[in-house]
Amino acid sequence: MSASRYSALALLRHALTRHRRWQPAWREPEPKRHYDVVIVGGGGHGLATAYYLAKNHGISNVAVVEKGWLGGGNTGRNTTIVRSNYLRDEAAQLYEFALKLWPGLSAELNFNVMFSARGVLNLGHTLQDMRDIERRVNANRLGGIDGEVLATARVQEMVPILNCSPNARYPILGASWQPSGGVARHDAVAWGFARGADALGVDLLQRTEVQGIRCGDGRVQGVETDRGFIGADKVACVTAGHSGVLAAMAGLRLPIESRPLQALVSEPLKPCLDTVVMSNAVHGYVSQSDKGDLVIGAGADGYNGYGQRGSFHVLAHALEAMCELFPSFSRVRMNRHWGGIVDICPDACPIIGETPVTGLYFNCGWGTGGFKATPGSGFVFADTLAHARPHPLAAPFALERFAKGALIDEHGAAGVAH
């Protein structure tokens, strides 16, 4: 029998049995009464934390509690850009640590996360843009992070379809270039970490909603869920845009705001863009996926909320800007759009570490830059949980910095922090 015919028959057989004979990627366990660590949130960061807890620290009596399905939240509602060219040393080194994990992640997890180091261009449209670009690139290079300032001619050579005319609405005076940046497949990252954590003994509890955090005598005792109480020595909340909601369950108020961040994807096209192009000035960016569609990022809505669609005028502005930068895109049709809920701290940097409630930890506030940090975030958060003290890379991002005034103002480099 030919291989193609065998494959067709196998596909038919699995379809008729409703895929019940396929080996599951991970178990569907019943919750235990008590765990060493309960991680609330089954997105990329939460799953990565569980994986590294088990792999690096031998702590496998861990449950990841997710109210929906694994990777069904913001992990599956982003635009997959990976880079580390932030301005402040604290942020840049954390993202650079994550960036160095990406190339080996597929081999590490034995799961193709489709990381593509195709480089990231940040365009400059004004003299001030170019001054900011030069400042950031120089700061990056002093910190050992790759980067280069490009002139207009070099930008045009790299992206021929970009409108580099001096008479353009958004004239391109140059750009920063980070060759090691790129994109990865968001759901594959979640699935890879989930399968890896499950294989190491972590319980992945889908369709399990946390309805309360039980505390007593100043320390956490576990979580109340719609499947009953689950006790834990430590509870780690990694719920992105809903972190404020979780914190309120423990009587805490975090200095974060949650807003919808919007994006779109087009119909498939022939390959025409082999890098990521970003523009702070127009707050838009674009890359082309492996199957040909354009993934276009817009801005965040100017109001707090948990809606996953957002305001039309934000999308309209982003598409107008894309058509100015790429005139050939003007006749491309958009297939769908969505909004992811981002939680934003006053200094545009995350919160990583313990709270005033002993044993209760939060990893949140990544704003629009969470996906790119996924492996690094999970690595340092797992280390923090395992040793009950901050990992050196996580130490500057403790919650107490807001009381001490030791903020890390990353807004300058995070105008488009995707």
Side-chain angles (χ1 to χ4, degrees):
M1 182 183 297
S2 67
S4 60
R5 185 178 179 187
Y6 176 81
S7 298
L9 290 174
L11 184 63
L12 177 62
R13 182 173 65 253
H14 286 307
L16 292 174
T17 60
R18 299 183 181 179
H19 299 179
R20 289 172 183 167
R21 295 181 184 175
W22 284 16
Q23 181 178 352
W26 48 78
R27 296 168 294 123
E28 289 278 359
E30 290 296 315
K32 299 178 186 176
R33 297 183 63 183
H34 189 277
Y35 291 92
D36 294 334
V37 181
V38 166
I39 297 171
V40 184
H45 288 233
L47 294 166
T49 301
Y51 172 78
Y52 288 117
L53 269 174
K55 177 179 180 292
N56 293 350
H57 306 285
I59 302 173
S60 59
N61 185 27
V62 176
V64 177
V65 181
E66 168 57 48
K67 70 177 181 180
W69 65 94
L70 300 179
N74 286 348
T75 297
R77 304 180 73 84
N78 70 86
T79 47
T80 75
I81 293 176
V82 175
R83 64 184 180 92
S84 66
N85 55 347
Y86 282 69
L87 178 61
R88 302 296 178 183
D89 288 345
E90 301 91 339
Q93 291 305 318
L94 179 57
Y95 283 106
E96 178 69 4
F97 176 74
L99 182 57
K100 282 182 164 56
L101 293 175
W102 279 103
L105 200 56
S106 292
E108 164 87 11
L109 300 174
N110 191 27
F111 198 97
N112 187 7
V113 302
M114 300 175 68
F115 173 67
S116 170
R118 60 186 64 183
V120 177
L121 278 171
N122 284 85
L123 303 178
H125 303 286
T126 66
L127 290 176
Q128 186 59 51
D129 284 348
M130 293 308 301
R131 294 188 188 103
D132 292 340
I133 282 172
E134 290 176 3
R135 178 191 182 201
R136 180 157 48 86
V137 169
N138 288 335
N140 289 160
R141 294 176 70 171
L142 285 171
I145 297 170
D146 62 320
E148 185 179 350
V149 179
L150 304 183
T152 307
R154 178 63 178 137
V155 175
Q156 184 74 89
E157 180 183 342
M158 293 176 64
V159 189
I161 61 175
L162 193 60
N163 182 10
C164 291
S165 167
N167 299 319
R169 181 180 180 186
Y170 302 108
I172 296 170
L173 305 187
S176 70
W177 167 243
Q178 186 177 27
S180 62
V183 296
R185 178 74 182 187
H186 45 50
D187 44 15
V189 174
W191 297 338
F193 275 120
R195 193 176 72 166
D198 173 81
L200 293 170
V202 173
D203 284 354
L204 306 178
L205 307 178
Q206 300 183 87
R207 298 176 297 281
T208 306
E209 182 175 359
V210 171
Q211 299 173 333
I213 297 176
R214 185 184 295 183
C215 304
D217 298 324
R219 69 170 300 111
V220 74
Q221 297 175 342
V223 294
E224 305 280 0
T225 78
D226 56 2
R227 297 172 70 179
F229 175 72
I230 302 175
D233 295 332
K234 297 177 182 178
V235 173
C237 298
V238 197
T239 51
H242 290 82
S243 298
V245 176
L246 266 293
M249 294 179 183
L252 301 175
R253 184 177 180 184
L254 297 179
I256 57 175
E257 296 180 342
S258 296
R259 298 180 184 176
L261 178 71
Q262 299 188 55
L264 313 93
V265 66
S266 79
E267 61 186 336
L269 308 174
K270 290 183 178 180
C272 62
L273 185 63
D274 60 1
T275 188
V276 179
V277 179
M278 307 175 66
S279 171
N280 282 18
V282 304
H283 208 127
Y285 60 97
V286 61
S287 64
Q288 188 172 23
S289 77
D290 292 336
K291 63 180 182 180
D293 42 16
L294 300 175
V295 182
I296 298 174
D301 279 10
Y303 59 86
N304 295 342
Y306 297 97
Q308 293 182 318
R309 294 187 69 86
S311 303
F312 179 76
H313 74 275
V314 176
L315 297 176
H317 171 75
L319 291 177
E320 289 168 1
M322 284 299 112
C323 289
E324 293 283 353
L325 293 173
F326 298 91
S328 58
F329 291 172
S330 61
R331 298 180 66 183
V332 176
R333 291 173 291 191
M334 295 295 110
N335 274 352
R336 58 190 175 89
H337 80 273
W338 66 88
I341 311 304
V342 296
D343 50 347
I344 306 169
C345 288
D347 58 356
C349 281
I351 297 168
I352 309 173
E354 196 170 21
T355 69
V357 179
T358 302
L360 178 62
Y361 295 76
F362 270 82
N363 183 346
C364 63
W366 289 91
T368 58
F371 176 75
K372 68 178 67 66
T374 299
S377 166
F379 189 104
V380 302
F381 197 38
D383 185 86
T384 298
L385 290 166
H387 298 290
R389 55 96 184 98
H391 183 281
L393 287 173
F397 303 98
L399 179 60
E400 63 185 20
R401 77 179 187 271
F402 296 100
K404 294 181 176 179
L407 304 186
I408 308 164
D409 187 8
E410 196 54 57
H411 283 287
V416 180
H418 314 289

